[in-house]
Every structure is written in C-alpha cells, then in structure tokens.
C-alpha cells in the first residue's frame, strides 16, 4: 500500500488492514491491538516525513501467514534517533493500563505537533510514546533503516540513512 504522508491516510490504511485481518479470521481483540500499533507506526512515519520536509510516499506492506501477522512501514524521514530508542528501552513498563494512561496524559500535556491532514497543517497531539505502545501490543518491534545504495542497516547512527523501516510482528496463537 502506498500512502501520502498525511494523517488522512491513516483511515484508508486501517480500513484495508482490518479487512485483511478479518478475511484471515483474526479475532476482534487481536485486530484492535494490531490496528493501534500499526496506527502508531504510520503516524510516526508521517511525522518523520513531514519533519524531514519529505513528500515521498510511505510504503506499508503486510503478510498474514496463518496466525502470524507481519507489517513493514517504510518512510523517508531522518530515521528514529538512537537517543529516542534508548529512552524507550530504559523506561519501565507500566504495571497497569491505568498507570500507562496516566503516564501518557502527563507526557501529552503541552506537547503538540503540526502535521498535514487532508493537505492542511493541523495540530496533532504527539504523545511521544508510539514506540512504547507498539512494544506493549506486538510480539516484536524491529527498527531498521534504509540507506543510500539500497543498503539496510540496524545502526541508527549510520550517516547514509534515508528513512526508517518499522517491522511489527504479531502471532494470534500467543494471545
């Protein structure tokens, strides 16, 4: 699926993703988890493209193999910075949904970003917790980078990064 870096793309993406998961007999609870994590990943990619002044198309591709779902989202932002990844890894996971929501609300207060929505710049509450949300909902989250000369790297300090590749994996048999 090829999407413009615009928040309006999220609705089309979610609709196609939901239809694919339903056709492959995923249950509603699992679909909701996958949708939320995928939504976070796509929003991060839209933000990355916009903040890098890139109007390149964002590429979303997924595979369903029995109970296993894998999604890749490729953007043309500057890549997820090493400090951001380390910050998320070091943060203690909340012990309950209420604790998580409280943390998100506290973090969100006063943090806003401008992103394109239907071609117009609009205020968007950037929670800054997308990676943490993805990690708590999916079985695996992998961050890679596409670089010059078609190389793929896992090093966020690589000087030839052209954008990020986010890989999300979910196995419904584990849930």
């Amino acid at each position: 699926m090829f999407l413009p870096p615009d928040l309006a793309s999220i609705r089309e993406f979610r609709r196609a993703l939901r239809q694919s998961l339903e056709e492959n007999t995923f249950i509603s609870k699992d679909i909701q988890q996958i949708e939320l994590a995928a939504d976070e990943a796509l929003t991060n990619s839209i933000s990355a493209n916009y903040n890098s002044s890139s109007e390149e198309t964002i590429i979303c591709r997924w595979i369903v193999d029995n109970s296993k779902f894998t999604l890749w989202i490729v953007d043309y932002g500057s890549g997820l910075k090493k400090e951001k990844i380390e910050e998320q890894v070091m943060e203690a996971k909340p012990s309950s949904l209420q604790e998580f929501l409280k943390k998100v609300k506290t973090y969100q207060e006063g943090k806003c970003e401008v992103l394109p929505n239907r071609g117009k710049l609009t205020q968007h509450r950037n929670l800054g917790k997308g990676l943490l949300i993805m990690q708590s909902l999916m079985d695996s989250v992998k961050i890679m980078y596409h670089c010059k000369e078609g190389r793929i790297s896992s090093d966020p300090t690589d000087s030839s990064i052209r954008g990020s590749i986010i890989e999300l994996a979910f196995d419904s048999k584990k849930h």
Side-chain angles (χ1 to χ4, degrees), residues 13 32-46 69 71-73 75 80 84-85 88 93-94 100 104 126-143 164-170 175:
F13 170 68
Q32 289 172 356
Q33 275 190 236
I34 292 168
E35 273 185 319
L36 180 55
D39 185 307
E40 289 295 329
L42 181 55
T43 301
N44 286 353
S45 290
I46 291 167
F69 167 83
L71 166 71
W72 297 271
I73 297 181
D75 67 51
L80 195 55
K84 192 72 170 168
I85 296 168
Q88 295 292 320
K93 291 200 175 185
F100 178 73
V104 167
N126 181 357
L127 303 179
K129 300 292 183 188
L131 188 56
L132 184 62
I133 291 168
M134 288 180 262
Q135 288 171 332
S136 48
L137 295 172
M138 303 302 284
D139 294 320
S140 114
V141 176
K142 189 173 180 183
I143 300 165
S164 298
I165 304 168
I166 305 292
E167 178 184 281
L168 304 178
F170 184 91
H175 298 271

Side-chain angles (χ1 to χ4, degrees), residues 23-40:
E23 288 171 357
N24 284 280
T25 65
F26 279 70
I27 63 171
S28 180
K29 179 183 83 64
D30 292 346
I31 292 172
Q32 289 172 356
Q33 275 190 236
I34 292 168
E35 273 185 319
L36 180 55
D39 185 307
E40 289 295 329

Side-chain angles (χ1 to χ4, degrees), residues 81-125:
K81 302 294 180 222
K82 182 179 181 181
E83 302 79 38
K84 192 72 170 168
I85 296 168
E86 288 172 350
E87 176 185 306
Q88 295 292 320
V89 170
M90 297 294 284
E91 187 171 331
K93 291 200 175 185
S95 61
S96 69
L97 178 60
Q98 289 78 16
E99 182 186 337
F100 178 73
L101 293 174
K102 184 179 177 185
K103 278 181 123 177
V104 167
K105 183 178 179 189
T106 302
Y107 185 87
Q108 183 184 27
E109 291 171 356
K111 185 166 170 104
C112 220
E113 185 175 7
V114 176
L115 292 174
N117 187 3
R118 293 181 174 83
K120 294 181 183 177
L121 294 180
T122 58
Q123 294 288 323
H124 179 267
R125 288 248 182 231

Side-chain angles (χ1 to χ4, degrees), residues 143-155:
I143 300 165
M144 299 166 285
Y145 307 92
H146 56 100
C147 303
K148 294 176 183 165
E149 294 121 23
R151 248 180 349 97
I152 303 292
S153 173
S154 58
D155 179 6

Side-chain angles (χ1 to χ4, degrees), residues 17 20-21 24-26 62-70:
L17 181 60
S20 177
L21 293 168
N24 284 280
T25 65
F26 279 70
W62 62 86
I63 294 173
V64 177
D65 182 18
N66 296 316
S67 66
K68 295 179 182 175
F69 167 83
T70 307

